[in-house]
């Protein structure tokens, strides 16, 4: 998979012929320095330039910002989401249990949380990770399959939602 900086279009990693024409987007080291010095309004504007749904979380898994594409995909208004935990933002069933997001037995096995924590700790991005979650809907919970990628930017982690769909239980 070819990886291109979403900000300056620099090719960060060439793809292999076996992978075909799949392109992933991240942020190169030079642009990441720009992003880490943005104020909130500028950061949101920057994230809105990326076509894919993007969430930016800090090392405590609190939402710092998200682009409009992510807010539409999640059916949310960003004003109400700033500083919420990831599971709360993504309507995870387990975030409503006593203790909340990150504090239940199910959270220890959360693939999304694990990928974000690993990327934050090691600095290594994770690409097209598959995870399942019970997402709150108006009529109950629906098991949802997410495909996502992570990239560390300064002390924060970008989460790009590459796809989501209802998944059978």
């Amino acid at each position: 998979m070819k990886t291109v900086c979403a900000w300056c279009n620099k090719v960060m990693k060439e793809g292999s012929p076996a992978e075909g024409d799949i392109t992933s987007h991240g942020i190169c080291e030079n642009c990441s320095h720009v992003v880490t010095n943005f104020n909130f309004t500028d950061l949101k504007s920057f994230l809105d330039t990326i076509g894919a749904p993007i969430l930016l979380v800090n090392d405590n898994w609190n939402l710092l910002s998200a682009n409009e594409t992510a807010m539409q995909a999640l059916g949310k208004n960003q004003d109400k989401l700033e500083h919420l935990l990831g599971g709360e933002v993504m309507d995870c069933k387990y975030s409503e249990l006593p203790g909340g997001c990150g504090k239940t037995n199910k959270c220890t096995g959360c693939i999304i949380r694990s990928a974000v924590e690993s990327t934050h700790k090691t600095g290594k991005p994770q690409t097209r990770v598959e995870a399942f979650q019970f997402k709150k809907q108006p009529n109950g919970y629906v098991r949802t399959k997410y495909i996502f990628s992570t990239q560390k930017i300064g002390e924060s982690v970008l989460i790009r939602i590459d796809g989501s769909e209802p998944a059978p239980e």
Side-chain angles (χ1 to χ4, degrees):
M1 178 181 308
K2 181 178 184 179
T3 305
V4 177
C5 177
W7 182 259
C8 69
N9 293 319
K10 172 184 170 184
V11 175
M12 299 183 300
K13 178 184 161 198
E14 290 291 343
S16 70
E19 294 171 322
D21 292 331
I22 298 172
T23 300
S24 176
H25 292 84
I27 297 178
C28 70
E29 187 173 343
N30 289 337
C31 291
S32 73
H33 293 296
V34 174
V35 171
T36 56
N37 294 317
F38 272 36
N39 65 40
F40 182 80
T41 304
D42 291 340
L43 179 57
K44 169 98 170 69
S45 297
F46 164 70
L47 293 177
D48 282 339
T49 67
I50 303 172
I54 301 285
L55 306 168
L56 181 69
V57 297
N58 66 14
D59 59 342
N60 293 320
W61 188 226
N62 295 99
L63 181 71
L64 298 176
S65 188
N67 66 7
E68 193 59 36
T69 307
M71 293 298 89
Q72 289 174 3
L74 295 171
K76 301 286 181 135
N77 178 335
Q78 182 159 322
D79 296 342
K80 298 177 183 173
L81 300 178
E82 288 174 41
H83 307 296
L84 290 181
L85 292 169
E88 296 167 331
V89 172
M90 297 180 77
D91 290 325
C92 176
K93 172 181 181 176
Y94 302 110
S95 69
E96 297 177 349
L97 294 178
C101 178
K103 305 279 195 256
T104 72
N105 288 338
K106 294 288 185 179
C107 294
T108 59
C110 177
I111 301 298
I112 300 172
R113 176 177 284 281
S114 297
V116 169
E117 287 174 350
S118 175
T119 297
H120 187 268
K121 183 178 178 181
T122 67
K124 294 181 182 176
Q126 303 219 11
T127 305
R128 299 194 56 79
V129 177
E130 210 174 88
F132 294 89
Q133 169 196 330
F134 285 96
K135 184 175 179 167
K136 185 177 184 178
Q137 298 289 315
N139 298 326
Y141 295 93
V142 174
R143 187 169 186 252
T144 304
K145 173 183 170 183
Y146 285 98
I147 299 175
F148 68 96
S149 300
T150 62
Q151 171 113 12
K152 187 171 183 180
I153 306 294
E155 290 302 309
S156 303
V157 175
L158 280 176
I159 304 168
R160 186 183 66 243
I161 302 172
D162 299 316
S164 68
E165 61 188 46
E169 292 185 40

